[in-house]
Amino acid sequence: MNARQLFGGGVAVITGAGAGIGAGLARHASRLGMTTVLVDVDAAAIAALRDELRAAGASAVDKVCDVRDAEAVQALADEVYRDLGPVRLLVNNAGVEQFGYLWDTPVENWRRVVDVNINGVFHGIRAFLPHMMAGDTPAWVWNLSSIGGVAVVPLQAAYIMSKHAVLALTECLHLEVQAAGHADHVHVQAVLPGAVVSNIFESAGGVDGGDTSAAETQRAAMLDIKAGAMDPLVAAEVVFDQAAQGRFYLITQPDYVGSAMTERARVLTTHEAPRLRTERRFDPAQS
């Protein structure tokens, strides 16, 4: 069964849909015939995307919601199920970046990363998954980890930590859905994008004191990578196709991300300590 047969006609709820891979997933979901619920804190961005999708003949609604707010996410889930019906696809995608040495990272910036990248995924699961399990129609949950979920990178510790956490959470959730007896119709999958065009690096937090130069040098290095990053719509098509094949790890660039997964496995197997690389451009196979 292909992606259109599997997802077409269903409802997709996508957090962080205002830009980057979230917007790419929303556009491709619409092309497959899904009703898209565009969720973001940027009202203007999701309103513009809603209008774009509707102009192309798709069904789309925009919902301003902060995934850090558990009550707001629960209200969103209740509203979607009441007004649009069962959710076929939940994409917990909203995420933020942070640059700088860990000891220089402002407490509020650390909390922002944890609240959006980790708690936001938890809130989405807690609000939507009970609805999905209570129904008898096929449903999918995609949690956005990252190539950073299988790599280690200095000066991005908060972000890397959060993506490792999301990957572990998703792997555990996959088992919990099986243990609870719902794996026949609820499918949990982990999305690990490589470099995909977005504004996450520009909007990333930095440091107010300490070594600001190091933080901004790392931001510049990531912006260099962005110059050769994958188009979000192309990335979305790859993710949907892999999901339709029943894979658990959905990888936008199989060779690029796969090399980071292989290297991570090698380091853990050999008990090798992380090594600092001097190259400015991040190569996951060298991390």
Side-chain angles (χ1 to χ4, degrees):
M1 187 174 292
N2 63 35
R4 181 175 297 277
Q5 293 169 321
L6 206 60
F7 296 103
V11 174
V13 177
I14 303 169
T15 69
I21 194 169
L25 290 167
R27 288 187 173 100
H28 192 63
S30 293
R31 290 184 178 184
L32 294 176
M34 302 192 80
T35 293
T36 54
V37 181
L38 313 171
V39 183
D40 208 297
V41 292
D42 188 336
I46 53 176
L49 182 55
R50 174 205 63 202
D51 292 344
E52 173 195 322
L53 298 179
R54 287 181 178 177
S59 175
V61 296
D62 53 316
K63 300 289 182 182
V64 176
C65 181
D66 189 337
V67 297
R68 296 175 294 183
D69 185 338
E71 292 183 359
V73 178
Q74 184 63 63
L76 171 69
D78 295 342
E79 181 181 356
V80 169
Y81 269 83
R82 184 189 68 232
D83 297 343
L84 298 175
V87 173
R88 186 167 302 176
L89 174 63
L90 168 66
V91 184
N92 291 307
N93 165 70
V96 294
E97 252 279 20
Q98 170 65 35
F99 296 118
Y101 287 119
L102 195 56
W103 54 86
D104 288 338
T105 301
V107 171
E108 58 270 27
N109 289 22
W110 172 268
R111 288 175 176 163
R112 175 175 177 251
V113 171
V114 171
D115 282 346
V116 176
N117 295 11
I118 303 175
N119 293 345
V121 174
F122 167 66
H123 295 156
I125 291 164
R126 194 168 186 275
F128 283 89
L129 194 58
H131 287 289
M132 293 174 160
M133 293 189 299
D136 57 4
T137 57
W140 282 260
V141 177
W142 296 353
N143 296 329
L144 269 287
S145 180
S146 164
I147 188 173
V150 292
V152 290
V153 185
L155 293 149
Q156 291 176 244
Y159 176 80
I160 295 298
M161 172 279 304
S162 73
K163 293 305 182 179
H164 276 251
V166 170
L167 182 56
L169 178 155
T170 308
E171 291 168 334
C172 291
L173 181 64
H174 180 75
L175 296 177
E176 291 185 3
V177 168
Q178 293 180 48
H182 299 289
D184 59 330
H185 72 283
V186 177
H187 312 278
V188 177
Q189 295 165 311
V191 184
L192 286 82
V196 176
V197 175
S198 75
N199 61 2
I200 193 170
F201 299 140
E202 291 89 340
S203 61
V207 299
D208 299 326
D211 197 336
T212 57
S213 176
E216 293 311 308
T217 296
Q218 186 66 14
R219 188 194 305 272
M222 295 299 103
L223 289 172
D224 284 349
I225 289 177
K226 177 181 175 178
M230 192 176 197
D231 179 86
L233 190 56
V234 175
E237 183 174 2
V238 172
V239 169
F240 270 96
D241 287 347
Q242 290 179 0
Q245 295 167 16
R247 300 187 188 184
F248 175 75
Y249 299 102
L250 311 179
I251 310 172
T252 57
Q253 298 107 312
D255 291 341
Y256 175 60
V257 180
S259 66
M261 299 174 83
T262 299
E263 175 63 11
R264 182 65 175 166
R266 185 194 67 78
V267 168
L268 292 174
T269 301
T270 61
H271 302 178
E272 181 179 314
R275 289 182 295 164
L276 183 64
R277 296 287 178 168
T278 57
E279 294 90 344
R280 192 161 177 258
R281 179 177 293 274
F282 169 52
D283 178 352
Q286 304 272 334
S287 62

